[in-house]
Coordinates of all heavy atoms in Angstrom, one line a residue:
A29 N -84.3 10.3 2.5 CA -83.1 11.0 2.0 C -83.4 11.8 0.7 O -84.1 11.3 -0.2 CB -82.0 9.9 1.6
L58 N -75.7 15.5 5.4 CA -75.7 14.0 5.5 C -75.6 13.6 7.0 O -76.3 12.7 7.4 CB -74.5 13.4 4.8 CG -74.2 11.9 4.9 CD1 -75.4 11.2 4.4 CD2 -73.0 11.5 4.2
P77 N -92.1 -3.8 23.6 CA -92.5 -4.2 24.9 C -91.5 -5.2 25.6 O -91.1 -6.2 25.0 CB -93.9 -4.9 24.7 CG -94.3 -4.3 23.4 CD -93.1 -4.1 22.6
R215 N -47.1 4.4 2.5 CA -47.4 5.3 1.5 C -46.8 6.7 1.9 O -46.7 7.0 3.0 CB -48.9 5.4 1.2 CG -49.5 4.2 0.5 CD -50.9 4.5 0.1 NE -51.5 3.5 -0.7 CZ -52.2 2.4 -0.2 NH1 -52.4 2.4 1.1 NH2 -52.7 1.5 -0.9
Y264 N -51.0 -2.7 -4.5 CA -50.7 -3.0 -3.1 C -49.5 -3.9 -3.0 O -49.5 -4.9 -3.7 CB -52.0 -3.6 -2.5 CG -53.2 -2.7 -2.5 CD1 -54.0 -2.6 -3.6 CD2 -53.5 -1.9 -1.4 CE1 -55.1 -1.8 -3.6 CE2 -54.6 -1.1 -1.4 CZ -55.4 -1.0 -2.5 OH -56.5 -0.2 -2.5
R268 N -43.0 -10.5 2.9 CA -43.2 -11.5 4.0 C -42.0 -12.3 4.2 O -41.3 -12.7 3.2 CB -44.4 -12.4 3.7 CG -45.8 -11.7 3.8 CD -46.1 -11.2 5.2 NE -47.2 -10.3 5.2 CZ -47.3 -9.2 5.9 NH1 -46.2 -8.8 6.5 NH2 -48.4 -8.5 5.9
E289 N -48.4 -11.2 -8.0 CA -47.1 -11.3 -8.6 C -46.1 -11.5 -7.5 O -46.1 -10.6 -6.6 CB -46.7 -10.1 -9.5 CG -45.4 -10.3 -10.3 CD -45.2 -9.0 -11.1 OE1 -45.5 -7.9 -10.7 OE2 -44.6 -9.2 -12.2
A296 N -30.8 -12.2 3.8 CA -29.6 -11.5 4.1 C -29.4 -10.3 3.2 O -28.8 -9.3 3.6 CB -28.4 -12.5 4.0
M312 N -48.8 -12.8 -12.5 CA -50.2 -12.6 -12.2 C -51.1 -13.5 -13.0 O -52.2 -13.9 -12.7 CB -50.6 -11.2 -12.4 CG -50.1 -10.3 -11.2 SD -50.9 -8.6 -11.4 CE -50.1 -7.8 -9.9
Y319 N -49.2 -19.7 -2.1 CA -47.9 -20.3 -2.3 C -47.3 -20.5 -0.9 O -47.6 -20.0 0.1 CB -47.0 -19.4 -3.1 CG -46.6 -18.1 -2.3 CD1 -45.4 -18.1 -1.7 CD2 -47.4 -17.0 -2.3 CE1 -45.0 -17.0 -0.9 CE2 -47.0 -15.9 -1.6 CZ -45.8 -15.9 -0.9 OH -45.5 -14.8 -0.2
A334 N -58.1 -26.4 -13.4 CA -58.6 -27.0 -12.2 C -59.4 -26.0 -11.4 O -58.9 -25.4 -10.4 CB -57.5 -27.6 -11.4

Side-chain angles (χ1 to χ4, degrees):
L58 175 61
R215 289 188 174 92
Y264 296 86
R268 291 294 170 224
E289 185 178 38
M312 285 190 180
Y319 71 94

